[in-house]
């Protein structure tokens, strides 16, 4: 019987040597004349175990990791092809606690299937949501999405169904679905993992969005730094087109929908939806004033749904299992599941999909296993570079949009970055201002000028120059940026700056330069 071995083609696994492992295995198989099929799957999201090699057995998949090319011969000697024992053997993949304790709705197939096999996708429940949507009037599809409680996973948490309804109700000769796959937040990788591990779920979600709103054309806008995601998505779109999932008659419905993949040059601001639309139109990535909303005048001035990858990839399961099934997970107004991306100085970094409601402490200490350095956790930044820093004292905050807002924080794209007790929070505050200065599109003054003045002020505090006056000035600048900026780049930079100052004031009172020199 042919043995089936899985080695991820996900960028994180590749960075850790997955291609070298696959080549070593291929050579060893040939040398020994073994009958083995190697499947290049997506990642299971347990990054500290990558490259994770899995073998299919009658009792389920058995995992080994992290595997190096030098391990291959020994692994085969130990009976890898039958799931045999070896120091790298982790047992059944599904039983690894990090994976077992998750609720995988959006990522159910990621790491399980061959990403570019439509057959495999169908065999694991794919396309059922699209089939259900085709059988329904568009307004009912939109209602299902609204009733599911799904909110935008790109950062703002806006209800997806309400956005879709605006586009459905708009009258226009052409409408568009734009998938925001720019994923600029540092420490986030959920969008990339879906595109590399289960691209058909995104294609299916976009097709459902198209049928629901009357849009016939979709674009996936991602960044040139994601070459592997672009390659997998492009191949999957070709496969879907050839199989009639995309094209003039989606699954024989008589309704058209097709997708193009576009790569931007990787400016953070091009993740902001209106700058993204400008970039997609071939213009400079500068933020547009709102109104008009993109839902009414978006790409080329036409009604456009702009949704994050995870928002769109969550729609197929909602349509397949129903709105109630999805909304039964979660807490308060945060319904369903959220793929949390755990990064930074952490022992168990990776992707953890779970219902909303776990506390930050549970995520960092229990799931993440504390710091990789073994030192105490001091701060956690939640929500990317524009997110607030949380001290241990706030670790009881549940992962929920409103609970985080109540603590002057945000969930954003659900990336969390862990820092140990060697972190200098004044430097982190300076970094936030510097990041904003570098990435600012330059359209409005509070962001363009304020961020540069912010860097100078943080430097003055660090030098011990009139610290009290400069702390007040920094807070004043944050206030101006928060309320005077046109978009959330300038408007949210105050979150990391002010949270650092509020929760870690001791780092903002360095000794004056003269004193320090003594
Ligand atoms: C500076 C900035 C960068 C952003 N980057 C992203 C991004 O990389 N991906 C994303 O989905 N949304 C990003 N957003 C949010 C988008 O503007 C928009 O809210 C989102 O794409 C809407 O989709 P959703 O409702 O599905 O979240 C960014 C916003 C700002 C202000
Ligand atoms: S806040 Fe910054 S990025 Fe946003 S529009 Fe103003 S200058 Fe551009």
């Amino acid at each position: 019987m042919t043995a089936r071995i899985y080695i991820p083609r996900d960028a994180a696994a590749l960075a850790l040597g997955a291609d070298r492992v696959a080549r070593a295995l291929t050579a060893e198989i040939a040398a020994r004349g073994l009958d083995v099929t190697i499947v290049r799957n997506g990642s299971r999201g347990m990054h500290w175990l990558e490259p994770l090699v899995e073998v299919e057995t009658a009792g389920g998949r058995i995992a080994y990791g992290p595997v190096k090319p030098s391990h291959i011969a020994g692994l085969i000697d130990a009976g890898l092809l039958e799931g045999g024992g070896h120091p790298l053997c982790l047992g059944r993949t599904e039983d690894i606690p990090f994976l077992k304790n998750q609720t995988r709705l959006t990522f159910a197939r990621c790491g399980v299937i061959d990403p570019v096999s439509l057959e495999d996708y169908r065999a694991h429940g794919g396309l059922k949501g699209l089939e259900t949507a085709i059988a329904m009037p568009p307004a009912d599809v939109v209602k299902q999405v609204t009733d599911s409680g799904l909110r935008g996973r790109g950062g703002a948490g806006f209800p997806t169904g309400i956005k879709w309804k605006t586009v459905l109700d708009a009258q226009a000769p052409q409408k568009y679905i734009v998938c925001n796959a720019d994923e600029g937040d540092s420490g986030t990788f959920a969008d990339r993992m879906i595109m590399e591990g289960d691209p058909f779920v995104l294609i299916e979600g976009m097709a459902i969005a198209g049928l629901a709103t009357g849009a016939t054309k979709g674009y996936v806008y991602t960044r040139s730094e994601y070459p592997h995601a672009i390659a997998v998505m492009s191949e999957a779109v070709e496969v879907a087109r050839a199989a009639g999932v995309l094209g003039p008659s989606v699954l024989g419905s008589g309704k058209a929908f097709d997708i193009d993949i576009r790569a931007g040059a990787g400016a953070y601001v091009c993740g902001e939806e209106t700058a993204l639309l400008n970039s997609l139109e071939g213009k400079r990535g500068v933020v547009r004033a709102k109104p008009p909303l993109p839902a009414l005048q978006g790409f080329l001035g036409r009604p456009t749904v702009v949704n994050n990858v995870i928002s769109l990839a969550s729609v197929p399961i909602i349509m397949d299992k129903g709105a109630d099934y999805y909304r039964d997970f979660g807490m308060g107004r945060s319904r369903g599941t959220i793929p949390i991306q755990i990064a930074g100085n952490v022992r168990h970094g990776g992707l953890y999909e779970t219902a909303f409601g776990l506390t930050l402490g549970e995520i960092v200490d229990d799931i993440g296993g504390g710091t990789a350095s073994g030192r105490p956790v001091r701060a956690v930044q939640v929500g990317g570079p524009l997110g607030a820093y949380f001290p241990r004292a706030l670790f009881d905050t549940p992962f929920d949009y409103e609970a985080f807002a109540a603590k002057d924080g945000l969930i954003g794209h659900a990336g969390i970055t862990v820092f140990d007790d060697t972190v200098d929070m004044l430097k982190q505050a300076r970094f936030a201002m510097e990041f904003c200065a570098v990435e600012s599109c330059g359209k409005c003054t509070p962001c363009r000028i304020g961020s540069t003045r912010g860097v100078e002020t943080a430097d003055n505090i660090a030098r011990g120059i009139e610290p009290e006056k400069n702390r007040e000035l920094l807070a004043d600048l944050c206030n101006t940026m928060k309320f005077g900026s046109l978009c959330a780049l300038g408007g949210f930079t105050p979150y990391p700056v002010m949270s650092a100052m509020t929760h870690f004031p001791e780092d903002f009172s360095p000794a004056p330069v003269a004193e320090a020199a003594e």
Side-chain angles (χ1 to χ4, degrees):
M1 210 183 84
T2 309
R4 214 170 153 79
I5 293 193
Y6 294 82
I7 305 176
R9 61 185 292 180
D10 172 278
L14 295 179
L16 291 163
D19 268 351
R20 289 197 300 278
V21 171
R23 279 197 297 273
L25 183 62
T26 308
E28 198 66 26
I29 290 164
R32 299 192 191 200
L34 299 170
D35 187 10
V36 177
T37 301
I38 299 176
V39 178
R40 302 303 301 270
N41 56 340
S43 172
R44 298 280 197 157
M46 299 179 283
H47 288 166
W48 76 100
L49 296 176
E50 293 290 4
L52 185 83
V53 173
E54 294 174 79
V55 60
E56 201 148 271
T57 72
R61 285 189 201 167
I62 306 293
Y64 300 81
V67 176
K68 292 197 179 93
S70 58
H71 294 133
I72 292 296
L75 277 166
I76 295 184
D77 290 343
L80 169 74
L81 304 190
E82 298 82 38
H86 185 278
L88 291 180
C89 183
L90 301 158
R92 273 167 41 89
T93 318
E94 307 285 334
D95 291 339
I96 299 172
F98 189 92
L99 200 57
K100 190 175 183 174
N101 296 331
Q102 296 187 40
T103 302
R104 286 205 162 196
L105 304 186
T106 309
F107 280 78
R109 278 173 296 258
C110 193
V112 176
I113 60 166
D114 175 349
V116 288
S117 165
L118 192 59
E119 218 174 72
D120 217 1
Y121 182 66
R122 266 190 192 277
H124 288 83
L127 297 181
K128 284 195 191 155
L130 180 56
E131 281 161 2
T132 308
I134 285 171
M136 277 183 180
D140 289 3
V141 178
V142 172
K143 187 169 182 312
Q144 281 286 311
V145 175
T146 306
D147 291 349
S148 75
L150 178 67
R151 292 165 72 178
R153 304 290 190 237
F158 187 80
T160 306
I162 292 180
K163 191 181 284 187
W164 287 21
K165 182 156 176 19
T166 308
V167 176
L168 170 65
D169 291 345
Q171 300 300 317
Q174 178 71 53
K175 301 178 189 177
Y176 297 100
I177 307 297
V178 172
C179 170
N180 189 343
D182 198 53
E183 196 159 57
D185 282 2
S186 41
T188 64
F189 39 83
D191 297 351
R192 181 186 60 68
M193 274 182 63
I194 277 289
M195 290 191 284
E196 293 175 3
D198 192 9
F200 291 119
V201 80
L202 176 56
I203 292 170
E204 184 178 354
M206 289 180 72
I208 294 170
L211 297 184
T213 58
T216 54
K217 181 83 198 179
Y219 293 93
V220 176
Y221 180 94
T222 187
R223 48 179 51 227
S224 54
E225 291 103 323
Y226 273 4
H228 305 100
I230 293 169
V232 180
M233 276 309 306
S234 304
E235 192 178 338
V237 164
E238 290 294 329
V239 171
R241 211 176 272 146
V245 175
L246 294 175
S249 176
V250 170
L251 289 181
S253 63
K255 293 183 180 161
F257 189 74
D258 214 330
I259 294 177
D260 266 353
I261 315 291
R262 295 287 169 90
Y268 184 69
V269 77
C270 284
E272 193 283 333
E273 57 186 359
T274 61
L276 183 157
L277 292 171
N278 273 337
S279 173
L280 199 58
E281 290 177 9
K283 299 173 184 153
R284 199 177 140 205
V286 176
V287 173
R288 297 177 185 170
K290 283 191 274 193
L293 291 173
L296 295 172
Q297 288 177 44
F299 184 57
L300 301 174
R302 302 295 192 197
T304 304
V305 168
V306 183
N307 268 144
N308 173 253
V309 171
I310 304 300
S311 316
L312 290 161
S314 299
V315 167
I317 190 153
I318 291 169
M319 293 311 299
D320 177 20
K321 302 254 165 111
D324 290 348
Y325 173 83
Y326 192 79
R327 74 168 305 126
D328 273 355
F329 296 94
M331 67 174 280
R333 289 181 49 225
S334 304
R335 309 311 315 173
T337 59
I338 177 94
I340 300 168
Q341 299 129 83
I342 309 171
N345 186 346
V346 68
R347 214 146 76 88
H348 294 157
L351 183 129
Y352 195 95
E353 183 178 350
T354 182
F356 284 94
L358 286 183
T359 67
L360 187 55
E362 284 172 313
I363 297 164
V364 174
D365 295 329
D366 303 346
I367 298 164
T371 63
S373 62
R375 301 184 66 92
V377 175
R378 182 165 187 230
V380 177
Q381 189 177 25
V382 184
L386 308 178
Y389 287 97
F390 279 68
R392 272 215 162 270
L394 295 180
F395 272 20
D396 59 351
T397 311
F399 219 75
D400 160 82
Y401 291 106
E402 279 65 41
F404 265 69
K407 301 275 166 69
D408 287 327
L410 50 107
I411 282 182
H413 189 43
I416 72 168
T417 309
V418 180
F419 295 83
D420 73 12
D421 61 349
T422 60
V423 66
D424 177 339
M425 297 307 294
L426 173 55
K427 279 194 182 151
Q428 294 306 116
R430 182 195 189 279
F431 172 73
M433 284 293 190
E434 188 188 19
F435 179 82
C436 183
V438 170
E439 298 292 343
S440 170
C441 84
K443 184 151 179 165
C444 64
T445 315
C447 168
R448 187 183 68 245
I449 307 289
S451 53
T452 300
R453 293 289 96 88
V455 173
E456 293 164 3
T457 311
D459 283 342
N460 284 339
I461 296 172
R463 289 193 198 104
I465 301 168
E466 298 186 278
E468 204 178 318
K469 198 175 138 208
N470 276 308
R471 281 195 297 268
E472 271 174 36
L473 185 60
L474 193 56
D476 194 34
L477 260 175
C478 282
N479 202 46
T480 306
M481 288 171 72
K482 185 170 177 181
F483 296 105
S485 295
L486 184 60
C487 87
L489 179 43
F492 285 15
T493 294
Y495 278 98
V497 178
M498 287 309 296
S499 59
M501 248 204 303
T502 307
H503 303 306
F504 306 93
E506 60 277 20
D507 288 13
F508 288 75
S509 304
V513 176
E515 224 176 85
E518 278 169 14

